[in-house]
Amino acid sequence: MAYKKIESYDEKVTNGLIKNYHECLQLIGEDAEREGLLKTPERLAKAMQFLTEGYQQDAKAILQGAKFTEAYSEMVIVKDIELYSLCEHHMLPFFGKAHVAYIPNGYITGLSKLARVVDVFARRLQVQERLTHQILDAIQETLQPQGVAVVIEAQHLCMMMRGVQKQNSVTTTSAFSGQFGDGTTRAEFMRLIGK
Ligand SMILES: Nc1nc2c(ncn2[C@@H]2O[C@H](COP(=O)(O)OP(=O)(O)OP(=O)(O)O)[C@@H](O)[C@H]2O)c(=O)[nH]1
Ligand SMILES: [Zn+2]
């Protein structure tokens, strides 16, 4: 299914995670049986399945599901798509905005689908660079447009709460294909997203 929402959680996965998170609580020195923590392993098991549900979803099927023939061939930009992902090194969140653009080549897609594609790849263990490329590749391969541009600006909690502890650094990644290789087109995109 293109965009499967978690309505019922896989029992085997949920039970396995509950067991592990219960042990995690004990290992960090908590009393896993105290009232406030009794349901925490189950809550966390469900939260983690939600935050990684992108593994069960198919970005290309989502785009194909709303692919329409249209002669429009100017840039289409959806900017400021908020995203939340988990860094694969520490499994701590990184969060920010994605700006996605494409120049149609006979086909357009539903605007919401671009934001859904961002979520499909964000809801996995990621590095920002791969996330950027996966979004671009899914759009390029499905719509075969004249070009795709993806810019992501994000803050990484693994650099804020721990480690180097820098509170204001923002990481920007970008990927471009087709006509966005042209300096003028790319500059227009950057201007339109306010960069
Ligand atoms: N390139 C890239 N690096 C990331 C991303 N998210 C986290 N990292 C980095 O992954 C690196 C992992 O480095 P390690 O030295 O193995 O881990 P560490 O000892 O916890 O490193 P520190 O964070 O520097 O304390 C760190 O430099 C993180 O900042 C990302 O999306 N892209
Ligand atoms: Zn990290």
Side-chain angles (χ1 to χ4, degrees):
M1 191 181 290
Y3 192 71
K4 189 177 112 230
K5 271 218 166 108
I6 293 187
E7 275 145 13
S8 58
Y9 292 85
D10 184 301
E11 205 180 311
K12 195 164 158 237
V13 175
T14 307
N15 288 338
L17 287 171
I18 289 173
K19 192 165 161 279
N20 273 276
Y21 291 140
H22 186 271
E23 194 181 347
C24 284
L25 288 173
Q26 293 172 326
L27 286 170
I28 62 169
E30 262 291 356
D31 171 8
E33 304 306 323
R34 71 179 173 83
E35 190 189 4
L37 294 183
L38 269 181
K39 274 193 74 185
T40 296
E42 182 185 339
R43 292 187 195 100
L44 184 49
K46 290 179 175 172
M48 279 310 293
Q49 285 175 85
F50 173 77
L51 296 173
T52 57
E53 72 177 355
Y55 292 120
Q56 320 298 329
Q57 297 168 339
D58 182 345
K60 290 183 186 171
I62 289 169
L63 292 166
Q64 286 286 4
K67 184 176 166 183
F68 310 112
T69 309
E70 193 60 58
Y72 183 85
S73 60
E74 300 301 320
M75 202 181 293
V76 178
I77 304 178
V78 182
K79 66 172 191 171
D80 295 331
I81 303 167
E82 68 267 30
L83 73 87
Y84 295 90
S85 189
L86 293 172
C87 90
E88 67 184 17
H89 306 109
H90 304 94
M91 291 176 67
L92 286 172
F94 64 94
F95 59 96
K97 289 174 181 174
H99 313 290
V100 178
Y102 72 105
I103 303 171
N105 188 17
Y107 298 103
I108 56 167
T109 188
L111 295 173
S112 69
K113 307 305 179 192
L114 297 172
R116 288 192 189 279
V117 167
V118 170
D119 284 344
V120 165
F121 293 115
R123 292 191 182 139
R124 300 176 185 206
L125 302 187
Q126 276 290 9
V127 293
Q128 192 177 322
E129 294 91 332
R130 188 168 67 238
L131 172 60
T132 310
H133 275 288
Q134 285 176 331
I135 296 166
L136 180 129
D137 291 344
I139 299 167
Q140 183 64 49
E141 287 165 23
T142 312
L143 300 180
Q144 294 177 339
Q146 298 179 62
V148 183
V150 180
V151 169
I152 295 178
E153 303 167 281
Q155 290 183 278
H156 292 245
L157 283 187
C158 67
M159 288 179 64
M160 298 167 74
M161 296 174 71
R162 58 158 297 288
V164 74
Q165 296 178 61
K166 296 298 171 208
Q167 307 310 315
N168 299 305
S169 70
V170 177
T171 303
T172 303
T173 47
S174 59
F176 301 98
S177 68
Q179 282 198 13
F180 287 95
D182 172 66
T184 314
T185 309
R186 190 182 298 199
E188 184 191 349
F189 165 70
M190 296 306 262
R191 184 179 61 76
L192 288 168
I193 64 168
K195 296 291 131 202

